[in-house]
Amino acid sequence: MVFNITSIKTSSDGVWQGDNPLHYAFPLLIVQTTLVIFISRLLSFFLKPLRQPKVIAEILGGILLGPSALGQYKEFTQWVFPSWSTPILESVASVGLLFFLFLVGLELDLTSIRRSGRRALWIASSGILLPFLFGIGITFLLRKTVVGADKVGFAQCFLFMGVSLSITAFPVLARILAELKLLTTQVGETAMAAAAFNDIAAWVLLALAVALAGGSHKSPLVSLWVLMSGAGFVIFMVVAVRPAMEWVASRCSKPGHHDHVEEGFICLTLAGVMISGFMTDLIGIHSIFGAFVFGLMIPKHGEFAGRLIRRIEDFVCGLLLPLYFASSGLKTNVNKIKGAEAWGLLAVVISTACTGKILGTFLMGMLCMIPARESLALGLLMNTKGLVELIVLNIGKEKKVLNDEMFAILVMMALVTTFMTTPMVMALYKPARKITSTIHHRSLRESSSHYLRTLQAELRVLACVHGSKNSSSMINLIDSIQSPNTYSNMKLYILHLLELTERSSSIMMVHKVRKNGVPRINNFREGKSAYKLESAALKESKVKVRSLTTISALPTMHDDICHVADKKRAAIVILPFHRQPQRGYNDEEPAHIGHGWEVVNQRVLSHAPCTVALLVDRGLSRSNPKRVCVVFIGGPDNREALELGGRMAAQPDTKLTIIRFLMKSGENENHTPTKPEDADIDKELDEISIEDFKKRWEGEAEYVEKSTLSIKNELLEIGQSKGFELVIVGRGRFQEALVAGIHEHEGQHSTELGLIGGLLASHDHGITSSVLVVQKHNLPKEDKDKPCPTSSLSNNTMA
């Protein structure tokens, strides 16, 4: 059916009145958008085991919808992607592209780039220069081989070819590095900094290429005017727009500002994106250049940039941007690459692109004294292409610089080079992240000066936080743990856990946690730290505090936590319990909520090389005195909880109570493992630990024994009494018979807390105390390989 584009209506009257919705603009756009998202997500699902970035699936999805695959069927093209719908689809896709380039500008922090050092600048320059030189040969080859390629001037063709060969996709590279756990390695740090330099250079070169290729004018003077106008636009943005956006950001970051004020500024900023795009299009440079430059002008400090991204990134990246891949795929016809000569030409282009980028980066890396293996891995990473490459190629096709065959060859080159990055880097360079100290698992007891009979013992604590809301309670807990009477030294590492997603804000987090190109590891100092330490005790000379940040996807975040715990030789890892949106909580930070954080906790419990504690925070404050209860039932987890309670007993402002539960009628004999020898040893260790505790802390802690048939009621009474700010329990190994009256459905349904911890963390029983659930490292012979201190040890040992 032939349509007149001027007669196309927006919406139909419905099938009952004889209208076909696919003959109308808006219903067809809905069908096209749904199909594009479905295919791209389906391909992403199948490519996920290969650890490929999402952009690969989106490019492939666009190609499948185009004339290379489904587009070969005329019925499909006529019904789903008719020619009259192309301008509508491209217009909507261009809006998404405009705002995506604004997000890319937001990702790039110019201040961070300036701090990255000369090495990254030299590596980026070499990675651009050599592919550009190789582009001269490729341009000659394509103009001689591809029919119609010589109709365009050599300079225009060479510029587009050089940019397409030398570009590095910064957002795609960042996600590949995070997926491979290389984000905080030397290779990852250098690659990120060099890619940022590369991105800036690529957009400048693209603007130059567009200026030279634009229009049908013959005079080079017009191109000169375009370049001068573009330079004037950038100067205006720096001189006038940047200070204005600084003022807007400062207004929106002030506490207590009105929501309608922020809303107005955000709308003004989004309008600024559109106006900037219009201005560069008016000049003769593509509109995306204006949006990109405007994004660079937004200040990265403060909260305004983050709020701006949260408002638009899901809609732009999830809904509008896939339409750009679809419109690109409709222009890509792989069938244009015909015959052995054309496929050989494709192989030459891919080989030249890889050689120029990898060799240039490798040689400069060697000159910068980077080891050969890391320099080669750096070259492979810098060879990553993606959406930015696709944008360059589409602009080249719009400007008639690239014909159909050249366009298809270069799209395939971008696809192959990006696809090969992950497997080749994994094969060449994958730093070992396995826990190496499997025979030296650490615990609180084994780190104490009392146990080691030396004053040189050092307690190392790794405290993990999701955000500022749980950092205060975590610091208050650690303040209670540190005690110079028990340990000579204490070293505290606070690890800020940031979830890496497909969002642009994940890449902004990479910039925020870097200082001079490396992960931020600095002392906690008031006014400079992400979390101010309110406790004066932690600022004493014997407590060394360090801040670290890890950015990782939730399924692999436990690797980072366990790796840091092993590398820093931590004796205990403290994790916040993931909060459920039930009554009793009013948490505005969604990072704490969800099944993903529960899986992180479970995997840390399974793989950590040391003791793990989970804090169920119900507003743990710095009350004075602090009232703490340790519930002791028996087993290695409870013995470790007892050791932790001993540290708190040494604090002058802490009132500690130990409540030991025993089963009546001898039933407590069954609370240990089924093997009789294990039961006897475990029970003996329990008695030794209790006796030793009573001798060490006599007069400083209250000890109570209770015989009961229903431990559930006793535990609920402790939690509901409001007599304790904190209740410490073991996670529950070897407690089967003693906790038989507690059913899983009565607790929090969280396997990482165990039955007792789950019961006390439940919102159904009116419990107000915070809960700390402790698990000792899970080794088959955890307590048998090391002798326990006997009760004959004198208190003078710690003097």
Side-chain angles (χ1 to χ4, degrees):
M1 185 179 295
V2 179
F3 285 89
N4 181 359
I5 187 65
T6 59
S7 65
I8 298 300
K9 295 182 179 180
T10 302
S11 59
S12 70
D13 293 327
V15 293
W16 299 114
Q17 299 190 41
D19 285 350
N20 184 348
L22 296 183
H23 293 167
Y24 295 83
F26 189 61
L28 181 60
L29 181 63
I30 293 174
V31 172
Q32 291 171 340
T33 305
T34 305
L35 181 63
V36 168
I37 294 175
F38 173 76
I39 290 181
S40 63
R41 291 296 177 179
L42 184 65
L43 289 173
S44 180
F45 174 77
F46 285 115
L47 290 173
K48 193 172 184 179
L50 299 178
R51 307 181 79 172
Q52 293 296 325
K54 191 178 70 171
V55 68
I56 292 289
E58 291 172 329
I59 295 176
L60 281 176
I63 293 175
L64 287 177
L65 292 172
S68 304
L70 294 176
Q72 296 184 43
Y73 301 97
K74 292 184 178 179
E75 293 80 6
F76 176 81
T77 302
Q78 290 175 355
W79 282 93
V80 183
F81 292 102
S83 58
W84 61 264
S85 70
T86 302
I88 301 170
L89 179 65
E90 290 186 353
S91 296
V92 177
S94 297
V95 174
L97 182 64
L98 192 73
F99 280 97
F100 176 77
L101 265 296
F102 171 68
L103 292 176
V104 172
L106 275 177
E107 290 175 4
L108 291 176
D109 187 355
L110 296 177
T111 305
S112 177
I113 293 174
R114 286 197 299 267
R115 290 198 303 252
S116 298
R118 293 183 179 179
R119 182 168 68 175
L121 176 60
W122 286 116
I123 289 174
S125 302
S126 178
I128 293 174
L129 181 61
L130 195 58
F132 245 94
L133 295 177
F134 282 15
I136 298 175
I138 288 294
T139 304
F140 273 114
L141 182 62
L142 288 175
R143 289 169 65 86
K144 292 290 185 182
T145 309
V146 177
V147 178
D150 56 352
K151 293 181 179 179
V152 183
F154 179 81
Q156 294 95 318
C157 188
F158 161 66
L159 272 174
F160 272 98
M161 193 61 60
V163 172
S164 62
L165 292 181
S166 62
I167 206 165
T168 298
F170 176 79
V172 179
L173 173 65
R175 290 179 176 92
I176 289 177
L177 289 171
E179 179 72 22
L180 298 179
K181 298 295 182 185
L182 298 176
L183 204 55
T184 56
T185 64
Q186 182 183 7
V187 168
E189 295 155 9
T190 308
M192 286 287 289
F197 281 119
N198 194 299
D199 228 20
I200 298 292
W203 290 113
V204 173
L205 292 171
L206 179 60
L208 176 63
V210 171
L212 293 177
S216 57
H217 59 83
K218 302 296 182 181
S219 173
L221 190 61
V222 177
S223 297
L224 181 61
W225 278 113
V226 171
L227 289 175
M228 291 179 63
S229 300
F233 171 78
V234 173
I235 293 173
F236 171 77
M237 297 293 284
V238 173
V239 173
V241 176
R242 186 177 179 85
M245 297 311 300
E246 290 273 4
W247 178 80
V248 169
S250 64
R251 284 288 304 272
C252 291
S253 298
K254 286 182 179 179
H257 71 278
H258 299 291
D259 289 339
H260 69 273
V261 174
E262 178 189 334
E263 191 74 27
F265 283 132
I266 288 178
C267 292
L268 183 65
T269 303
L270 298 182
V273 177
M274 308 292 285
I275 295 172
S276 300
F278 174 78
M279 291 301 297
T280 50
D281 190 82
L282 183 67
I283 290 170
I285 307 174
H286 201 282
S287 58
I288 61 174
F289 184 75
F292 174 74
V293 173
F294 187 75
L296 290 176
M297 299 301 107
I298 305 295
K300 307 304 183 290
H301 57 271
E303 301 178 1
F304 180 67
R307 291 172 181 170
L308 198 60
I309 286 181
R310 285 193 294 271
R311 294 291 183 95
I312 64 175
E313 65 176 336
D314 287 334
F315 181 71
V316 171
C317 298
L319 187 66
L320 297 183
L321 197 60
L323 296 181
Y324 184 78
F325 290 100
S327 65
S328 300
L330 294 175
K331 304 173 189 174
T332 307
N333 191 355
V334 180
N335 299 319
K336 292 287 185 179
I337 309 175
K338 295 179 180 179
E341 182 179 333
W343 285 102
L345 184 61
L346 173 62
V348 170
V349 171
I350 293 175
S351 302
T352 305
C354 294
T355 303
K357 196 71 174 179
I358 296 173
L359 185 62
T361 305
F362 174 77
L363 293 177
M364 186 55 66
M366 294 294 292
L367 290 176
C368 293
M369 307 304 292
I370 299 176
R373 191 167 68 99
E374 295 184 5
S375 296
L376 188 56
L378 194 59
L380 290 169
L381 290 166
M382 294 296 291
N383 196 36
T384 302
K385 312 294 182 185
L387 176 63
V388 182
E389 169 86 358
L390 211 58
I391 294 170
V392 172
L393 298 181
N394 273 280
I395 294 176
K397 197 170 189 303
E398 289 176 12
K399 302 297 182 182
K400 308 297 182 183
V401 176
L402 305 176
N403 61 21
D404 290 344
E405 185 175 349
M406 294 173 66
F407 182 78
I409 287 173
L410 293 175
V411 168
M412 292 300 294
M413 179 268 292
L415 194 62
V416 171
T417 53
T418 305
F419 190 90
M420 62 184 274
T421 299
T422 300
M424 291 191 70
V425 172
M426 288 180 64
L428 177 70
Y429 183 81
K430 183 64 175 161
R433 298 297 299 270
K434 295 184 179 296
I435 302 302
T436 57
S437 58
T438 53
I439 60 173
H440 301 294
H441 281 59
R442 294 168 295 278
S443 66
L444 289 171
R445 174 175 287 269
E446 295 157 7
S447 301
S448 67
S449 57
H450 178 74
Y451 177 78
L452 296 174
R453 299 177 176 86
T454 175
L455 293 179
Q456 301 304 315
E458 182 179 60
L459 174 66
R460 292 170 176 250
V461 177
L462 176 63
C464 303
V465 294
H466 298 157
S468 58
K469 288 293 181 67
N470 61 13
S471 63
S472 178
S473 296
M474 189 72 72
I475 296 300
N476 292 333
L477 173 64
I478 295 166
D479 187 17
S480 301
I481 295 174
Q482 66 94 15
S483 171
N485 295 330
T486 311
Y487 295 83
S488 295
N489 298 293
M490 178 177 178
K491 184 170 285 188
L492 171 63
Y493 299 94
I494 297 188
L495 183 63
H496 187 193
L497 307 178
L498 298 178
E499 179 185 2
L500 182 77
T501 66
E502 292 291 338
R503 295 180 165 191
S504 298
S505 52
S506 294
I507 307 304
M508 284 196 68
M509 288 191 297
V510 176
H511 287 295
K512 288 183 178 180
V513 300
R514 290 176 183 277
K515 188 176 183 181
N516 299 322
V518 298
R520 181 182 298 163
I521 303 176
N522 60 338
N523 289 330
F524 270 81
R525 293 175 184 172
E526 188 169 357
K528 296 182 180 180
S529 170
Y531 302 109
K532 297 179 180 179
L533 296 182
E534 300 172 352
S535 173
L538 284 180
K539 296 179 181 178
E540 293 180 1
S541 59
K542 288 189 176 182
V543 181
K544 302 174 183 177
V545 186
R546 297 291 183 270
S547 171
L548 304 93
T549 302
T550 180
I551 304 176
S552 181
L554 289 184
T556 58
M557 187 171 285
H558 69 282
D559 287 336
D560 291 343
I561 297 173
C562 295
H563 174 72
V564 172
D566 182 65
K567 185 178 179 180
K568 303 300 182 183
R569 303 192 305 277
I572 183 171
V573 174
I574 305 177
L575 296 166
F577 174 65
H578 66 94
R579 296 180 178 176
Q580 298 291 346
Q582 301 179 22
R583 68 177 184 272
Y585 283 101
N586 184 22
D587 196 341
E588 298 177 357
E589 294 191 19
H592 296 226
I593 300 172
H595 177 71
W597 291 105
E598 179 181 0
V599 173
V600 172
N601 290 349
Q602 290 172 347
R603 291 177 177 174
V604 172
L605 287 166
S606 300
H607 299 94
C610 58
T611 295
V612 179
L614 285 93
L615 176 62
V616 181
D617 178 28
R618 290 192 173 100
L620 187 62
S621 64
R622 295 181 56 204
S623 60
N624 194 8
K626 298 176 182 175
R627 297 165 299 173
V628 180
C629 174
V630 177
V631 175
F632 187 87
I633 302 176
D637 294 347
N638 282 264
R639 292 193 289 273
E640 196 73 353
L642 189 67
E643 181 69 24
L644 187 63
R647 289 198 53 78
M648 296 183 176
Q651 291 282 357
D653 60 345
T654 299
K655 183 179 180 182
L656 180 70
T657 302
I658 307 296
I659 301 179
R660 184 183 187 186
F661 287 102
L662 301 172
M663 292 295 288
K664 291 182 178 179
S665 305
E667 293 183 34
N668 58 316
E669 297 174 0
N670 298 322
H671 79 277
T672 50
T674 54
K675 293 183 180 180
E677 60 275 16
D678 288 344
D680 293 339
I681 294 174
D682 211 50
K683 193 159 66 171
E684 182 181 353
L685 290 172
D686 288 346
E687 296 298 333
I688 291 175
S689 297
I690 289 292
E691 290 301 319
D692 180 58
F693 181 90
K694 289 194 289 187
K695 279 199 169 187
R696 290 167 61 191
W697 307 114
E698 185 177 0
E700 298 185 41
E702 180 183 1
Y703 176 77
V704 179
E705 285 190 1
K706 291 188 176 182
S707 298
T708 180
L709 291 173
S710 177
I711 191 175
K712 172 187 170 183
N713 295 333
E714 297 285 352
L715 290 171
L716 292 177
E717 184 180 344
I718 293 173
Q720 295 168 352
S721 66
K722 298 184 180 180
F724 303 102
E725 283 81 27
L726 177 67
V727 178
I728 304 176
V729 298
R731 184 164 177 258
R733 287 176 292 169
F734 312 116
Q735 299 177 7
E736 287 85 354
L738 199 59
V739 298
I742 304 175
H743 303 289
E744 291 187 8
H745 69 271
E746 297 176 299
Q748 188 67 20
H749 302 283
S750 299
T751 55
E752 74 264 39
L753 292 180
L755 290 178
I756 291 181
L759 178 69
L760 293 175
S762 172
H763 303 281
D764 300 328
H765 303 292
I767 297 175
T768 58
S769 303
S770 296
V771 182
L772 188 67
V773 181
V774 181
Q775 174 189 281
K776 191 178 180 184
H777 53 76
N778 191 10
L779 285 180
K781 298 181 179 181
E782 53 195 275
D783 281 309
K784 300 175 191 177
D785 294 336
K786 287 182 176 289
C788 277
T790 63
S791 57
S792 60
L793 288 175
S794 168
N795 286 337
N796 293 331
T797 307
M798 297 180 295

